[in-house]
Amino acid sequence: MQSTRRRFNTAALAALTLPATLARAQAQANPGRPIRVVIPTAAGGTGDILARQVADILRDALKVTVAVENRPGANGVIATELVARAPADGSTLLVASASNIAINPALYKMPVDVEKDLAPVIQIANTTQVLIAHPAFPAGTLQELIAMAKAKPGGIDYVNAGNGSTPHLNMELLASMAGLKLHGIVYKGSTPGRTAVVAGEVPIMIDGLAPALPLIQSGKLKALGVTSPRRTTALPAYSTR
């Protein structure tokens, strides 16, 4: 979902309708006005990659300046509040995910009301997350990871990309379903957490497939499974099922 005060939700693919939809909205509100796209995560993450692709589409479709701005922190609350308090003139967009527009309001007292202060426009992507590990990590499959974790409760660290983030909740869901006890180490988003796994500081994490895939293909990370219900064409050998 996108909003104006607008947000893009990385939940379902609808990118092909984006230019026409936003062209109409922009023409009605502020034709020719520069657009500001706010990203609630650090550069290099899934939301950042998607936002920059959308920004390119908007520039071509609307012939206006489109500025992309990363405002990470507080699991997206900082960026969400910034956009919600911006003038409601169609020129400020928020790239959002379930974390900052659905999970956060359920867990925390929010400074804004996302249902009232943000207007949905369009969904732009359906993303898959991947369970990744440092190449030296002994487990090479999800089943091996589960066996290791059961043999050593609380002895395996994982990157928590932010309390309430989808990588965090997906890892805890896996732990709950498999009866595991894992130890989360909090990082300020997926990008620094991914860097930590590559460096061997933390052995595993759940991350967006888009930013993790090049590192998997280059051998700097290895994949243990994906979160999608079916195998993904990008990593056909892996599945969480």
Side-chain angles (χ1 to χ4, degrees), residues 32 39 81 126 159 205 211 214:
I39 309 169
E81 181 179 11
N126 184 15
V159 168
M205 74 176 289

Side-chain angles (χ1 to χ4, degrees), residues 128-151:
T128 295
Q129 294 187 334
V130 58
L131 176 60
I132 54 175
H134 186 271
F137 186 62
T141 66
L142 176 61
Q143 291 74 19
E144 290 175 357
L145 169 63
I146 291 173
M148 284 182 59
K150 286 188 174 181

Side-chain angles (χ1 to χ4, degrees), residues 152-177:
K152 193 176 181 181
I156 296 179
D157 295 336
Y158 75 89
V159 168
N160 173 353
N163 290 328
S165 65
T166 49
H168 171 222
L169 295 186
N170 278 335
M171 187 66 85
E172 288 298 327
L173 177 62
L174 171 62
S176 176
M177 293 175 67

Side-chain angles (χ1 to χ4, degrees), residues 128-142 145 156-159 161 167 170-171 174 182 189-199 202-217 219-227 235 238 240:
T128 295
Q129 294 187 334
V130 58
L131 176 60
I132 54 175
H134 186 271
F137 186 62
T141 66
L142 176 61
L145 169 63
I156 296 179
D157 295 336
Y158 75 89
V159 168
N170 278 335
M171 187 66 85
L174 171 62
L182 303 172
S190 292
T191 299
R194 185 183 319 114
T195 301
V197 178
V198 170
V202 184
I204 61 172
M205 74 176 289
I206 287 181
D207 192 17
L209 179 58
L213 185 59
L215 296 170
I216 295 169
Q217 293 172 331
K220 294 180 179 179
L221 293 172
K222 62 182 177 182
L224 304 183
V226 295
T227 61
L235 289 172
Y238 299 94
T240 51

Side-chain angles (χ1 to χ4, degrees), residues 67-90:
V68 178
E69 181 178 340
N70 294 85
R71 284 297 187 96
N75 198 34
V77 173
I78 293 172
T80 302
E81 181 179 11
L82 185 154
V83 174
R85 298 194 187 285
D89 57 10

Side-chain angles (χ1 to χ4, degrees), residues 8-228:
F8 299 104
N9 183 338
T10 57
L13 181 61
L16 294 179
T17 64
L18 180 61
T21 302
L22 287 186
R24 289 195 295 270
Q26 183 70 8
Q28 293 169 2
N30 295 287
R33 174 172 294 198
I35 294 175
R36 180 188 187 192
V37 179
V38 180
I39 309 169
T41 59
T46 302
D48 181 73
I49 293 171
L50 291 171
R52 294 179 189 280
Q53 293 175 341
V54 169
D56 289 341
I57 293 172
L58 293 178
R59 289 188 192 100
D60 292 341
L62 304 179
K63 309 302 179 187
V64 298
T65 299
V66 181
V68 178
E69 181 178 340
N70 294 85
R71 284 297 187 96
N75 198 34
V77 173
I78 293 172
T80 302
E81 181 179 11
L82 185 154
V83 174
R85 298 194 187 285
D89 57 10
S91 63
T92 303
L93 313 179
L94 173 66
V95 179
S97 68
S99 294
N100 51 319
I101 61 171
I103 298 171
N104 282 350
L107 296 179
Y108 310 117
K109 181 175 176 59
M110 295 283 288
V112 295
D113 186 329
V114 295
E115 293 187 7
K116 295 179 179 178
D117 297 330
L118 295 170
V121 175
I122 196 167
Q123 296 175 327
I124 62 169
N126 184 15
T127 65
T128 295
Q129 294 187 334
V130 58
L131 176 60
I132 54 175
H134 186 271
F137 186 62
T141 66
L142 176 61
Q143 291 74 19
E144 290 175 357
L145 169 63
I146 291 173
M148 284 182 59
K150 286 188 174 181
K152 193 176 181 181
I156 296 179
D157 295 336
Y158 75 89
V159 168
N160 173 353
N163 290 328
S165 65
T166 49
H168 171 222
L169 295 186
N170 278 335
M171 187 66 85
E172 288 298 327
L173 177 62
L174 171 62
S176 176
M177 293 175 67
L180 310 178
K181 184 178 180 181
L182 303 172
H183 179 238
I185 299 177
V186 180
Y187 281 77
K188 294 182 178 180
S190 292
T191 299
R194 185 183 319 114
T195 301
V197 178
V198 170
E201 296 173 8
V202 184
I204 61 172
M205 74 176 289
I206 287 181
D207 192 17
L209 179 58
L213 185 59
L215 296 170
I216 295 169
Q217 293 172 331
S218 67
K220 294 180 179 179
L221 293 172
K222 62 182 177 182
L224 304 183
V226 295
T227 61
S228 56

